[in-house]
């Protein structure tokens, strides 16, 4: 909880320093500092497993003004959160609201972070920080707390900052993936095996709302084990980190994409591309917002989408595969969607399940369902 005697600092690896006030838990953490331009939806963003290992900066000036909702459930899953806990390492905001007002609020953002052991810093110039990250790219950093009557040892902290391990070089997906398989059976005629690389609960809810049973399995499952469930289709979820580290998942998807309808979302898109021999690369500062455009190359329709990813598919390397680009981002011309030339296999880089954001592209789940019905 906020303590007037506690101050906090955010130190980037290049020596850039921000001093503000601490809130939430008062643990010292380090990670990859990223930013999101989303204006709403902080409960969903903070619980999104794709943020694992990251210190998240929110560019909207006031955060916490509608509090934190209850853990009410839907289909046995939290109705307002994307996982069962806060996933970010730390939170960076400009202004913290301590007196929220919303009919569904049960606690403040400050209390929520404190309850879950996640630190935050507020009262800093998030515009300056965002401009820094846009210019230099995302970088490693640390969030540290100190008493108001103390002076932090910046030189020592900067030396420590040079030794931070890049979370993208660790098994982030292994940290957020389910450990043992579980079922969400609603008596539907179709069953999907969902390979959990850090799935948002809204993806599961979108499948269940369409009458599709879901079997959620660990990211490192074998293709044979997936097929033993006799599924009608496979969905490869979103998740954190470098897609190339998920070697077992890539091998599994390589086999499954030849045998069964398959859909990928976010990290699942990159894994599908790698499975067929394409390449991926890290973006300078990634796409994290609710207003990223994605243009359909077949119809020229442009959708406004919700995104949260650091990596993208190398367009040129798709030419040597049976996959083709389906959507592109008009802003930076990155690949936003791919599809197989002859098989019912496709994937998109954004989050069609929205939450928060627009629901325009939820129709992709209907497309996936139809592909399973005619297989």
């Amino acid at each position: 909880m906020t303590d007037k005697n506690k101050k906090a600092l955010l130190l980037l690896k290049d020596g850039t320093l921000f001093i503000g006030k601490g809130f939430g838990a008062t643990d010292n953490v380090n990670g990859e500092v990223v930013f999101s331009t989303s204006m709403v939806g902080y409960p969903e963003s903070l619980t999104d497993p794709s943020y694992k290992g990251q210190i998240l900066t929110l560019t909207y000036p006031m955060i916490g003004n509608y509090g934190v909702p209850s853990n009410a459930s839907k289909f046995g899953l939290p109705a307002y959160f994307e996982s069962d806990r806060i996933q970010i390492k730390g939170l960076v905001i400009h202004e913290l609201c301590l007196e929220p007002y919303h009919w569904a609020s049960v606690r403040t953002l400050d209390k929520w972070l404190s309850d879950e052991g996640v630190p935050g810093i507020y009262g800093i110039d998030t515009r300056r920080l965002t401009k820094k990250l846009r210019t230099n790219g995302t970088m490693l950093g640390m969030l540290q707390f100190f008493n108001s009557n103390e002076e932090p040892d910046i030189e020592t902290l900067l030396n420590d900052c040079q030794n931070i391990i890049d979370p993208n070089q660790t098994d982030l997906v292994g940290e957020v993936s389910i450990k043992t398989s579980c079922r969400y059976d609603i008596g539907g005629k179709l069953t999907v095996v969902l390979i959990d690389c850090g799935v948002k609960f809204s993806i599961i809810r979108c499948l269940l709302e369409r009458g599709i049973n879901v079997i959620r399995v660990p990211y490192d499952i074998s293709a044979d084990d997936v097929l033993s469930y006799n599924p009608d289709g496979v969905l490869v979820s979103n998740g954190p980190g470098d897609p190339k580290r998920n070697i077992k998942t890539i091998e599994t998807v390589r086999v499954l994409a030849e045998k069964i309808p398959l859909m990928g979302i976010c990290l699942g898109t990159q894994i599908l591309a790698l499975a067929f021999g394409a390449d991926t690369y890290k973006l300078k500062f990634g796409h994290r917002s609710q207003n990223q455009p994605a243009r359909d190359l077949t119809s020229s329709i442009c959708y406004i989408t919700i995104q949260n990813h650091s990596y993208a598919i190398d367009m040129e390397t798709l030419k040597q595969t049976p996959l083709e680009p389906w959507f592109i981002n008009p802003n930076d011309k990155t690949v936003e969607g791919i599809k197989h030339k002859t098989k019912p296999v496709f994937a998109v880089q954004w989050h069609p399940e929205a939450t928060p954001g627009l629901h325009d592209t939820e129709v992709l789940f209907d497309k996936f369902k139809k592909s399973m019905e005619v297989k």
Side-chain angles (χ1 to χ4, degrees):
M1 299 283 285
T2 54
D3 181 345
K4 63 180 180 180
N5 294 317
K6 281 291 183 183
K7 297 183 71 175
L9 66 83
L10 176 69
L11 180 64
L12 302 182
K13 190 172 183 178
D14 71 346
T16 304
L17 175 66
F18 299 85
I19 295 181
K21 301 175 182 178
F23 72 105
T26 56
D27 294 339
N28 297 327
V29 297
N30 56 62
E32 182 183 31
V33 183
V34 303
F35 69 89
S36 170
T37 60
S38 298
M39 295 176 64
V40 296
Y42 56 81
E44 294 90 342
S45 294
L46 270 59
T47 55
D48 182 350
S50 294
Y51 279 120
K52 190 71 175 179
Q54 295 178 331
I55 297 173
L56 174 62
T57 304
L58 297 177
T59 63
Y60 192 72
M62 176 182 279
I63 303 296
N65 50 310
Y66 53 88
V68 179
S70 70
N71 59 354
S73 66
K74 182 177 183 181
F75 296 118
L77 299 166
Y80 303 113
F81 305 122
E82 294 306 319
S83 66
D84 56 10
R85 61 159 290 114
I86 297 175
Q87 299 289 346
I88 62 170
K89 292 288 290 292
L91 182 62
V92 182
I93 60 176
H94 175 65
E95 183 177 351
L96 173 67
C97 178
L98 293 172
E99 296 182 358
Y101 183 80
H102 192 277
W103 67 268
S105 177
V106 296
R107 53 181 164 172
T108 64
L109 176 61
D110 179 31
K111 179 68 163 58
W112 186 33
L113 263 64
S114 178
D115 290 345
E116 301 216 6
V118 177
I121 181 174
Y122 73 103
I124 74 162
D125 187 349
T126 50
R127 179 178 175 82
R128 175 181 165 232
L129 172 57
T130 301
K131 291 175 69 175
K132 179 77 175 182
L133 297 177
R134 280 182 59 89
T135 301
N136 293 31
T138 58
M139 65 181 74
L140 300 177
M142 58 171 55
L143 181 54
Q144 298 273 324
F145 288 80
F146 59 98
N147 292 322
S148 57
N149 59 355
E150 296 176 344
E151 286 295 329
D153 185 346
I154 302 300
E155 184 176 347
T156 298
L157 291 175
L158 185 56
N159 287 333
D160 293 341
C161 208
Q162 306 309 307
N163 297 318
I164 296 175
I165 297 175
D166 184 350
N168 293 295
Q169 301 308 310
T170 65
D171 185 18
L172 289 174
V173 171
E175 293 182 39
V176 295
S177 177
I178 196 171
K179 305 307 177 186
T180 57
S181 301
C182 68
R183 304 178 74 104
Y184 306 88
D185 197 333
I186 57 173
K189 295 181 179 179
L190 298 172
T191 297
V192 163
V193 166
L194 189 155
I195 299 178
D196 179 9
C197 299
V199 66
K200 287 175 62 183
F201 284 163
S202 287
I203 293 175
I204 301 175
R205 288 192 289 264
C206 279
L207 294 171
L208 297 175
E209 286 168 355
R210 287 161 175 76
I212 302 171
N213 306 315
V214 176
I215 303 173
R216 183 178 169 196
V217 299
Y219 78 110
D220 55 357
I221 192 172
S222 70
D224 286 342
D225 285 342
V226 169
L227 294 173
S228 70
Y229 290 109
N230 194 30
D232 298 288
V234 171
L235 191 149
V236 188
S237 83
N238 63 292
D242 186 344
K244 292 179 181 178
R245 299 193 65 83
N246 304 293
I247 297 173
K248 290 185 179 179
T249 316
I250 293 169
E251 293 173 351
T252 294
V253 169
R254 182 180 297 121
V255 174
L256 295 175
E258 298 287 351
K259 299 177 179 290
I260 193 170
L262 187 144
M263 176 180 178
I265 293 176
C266 202
L267 179 68
T269 305
Q270 300 152 20
I271 286 174
L272 176 62
L274 292 167
F276 278 100
D279 197 11
T280 58
Y281 63 96
K282 189 173 184 182
L283 295 166
K284 186 175 183 179
F285 48 82
H287 294 168
R288 298 176 186 86
S289 64
Q290 296 158 13
N291 60 355
Q292 286 287 337
R295 183 167 67 87
D296 187 335
L297 294 175
T298 59
S299 67
S300 292
I301 295 175
C302 189
Y303 298 93
I304 301 302
T305 67
I306 299 87
Q307 301 191 16
N308 176 13
H309 61 100
S310 299
Y311 293 80
I313 299 167
D314 185 331
M315 174 84 78
E316 284 297 310
T317 62
L318 283 174
K319 296 177 180 179
Q320 63 197 33
T321 76
L323 302 172
E324 59 185 358
W326 184 15
F327 292 87
I328 64 164
N329 189 314
N331 289 341
D332 58 12
K333 303 301 184 291
T334 54
V335 177
E336 294 285 6
I338 55 178
K339 59 182 177 179
H340 198 285
K341 294 176 182 177
T342 60
K343 297 181 182 296
V345 172
F346 68 92
V348 292
Q349 191 60 72
W350 70 88
H351 286 271
E353 76 281 1
T355 317
L358 304 173
H359 297 264
D360 301 41
T361 58
E362 269 194 26
V363 66
L364 291 170
F365 291 103
D366 299 319
K367 175 182 174 65
F368 182 42
K369 182 178 179 180
K370 289 179 181 178
S371 72
M372 292 187 285
E373 291 172 335
V374 300
K375 71 179 180 71

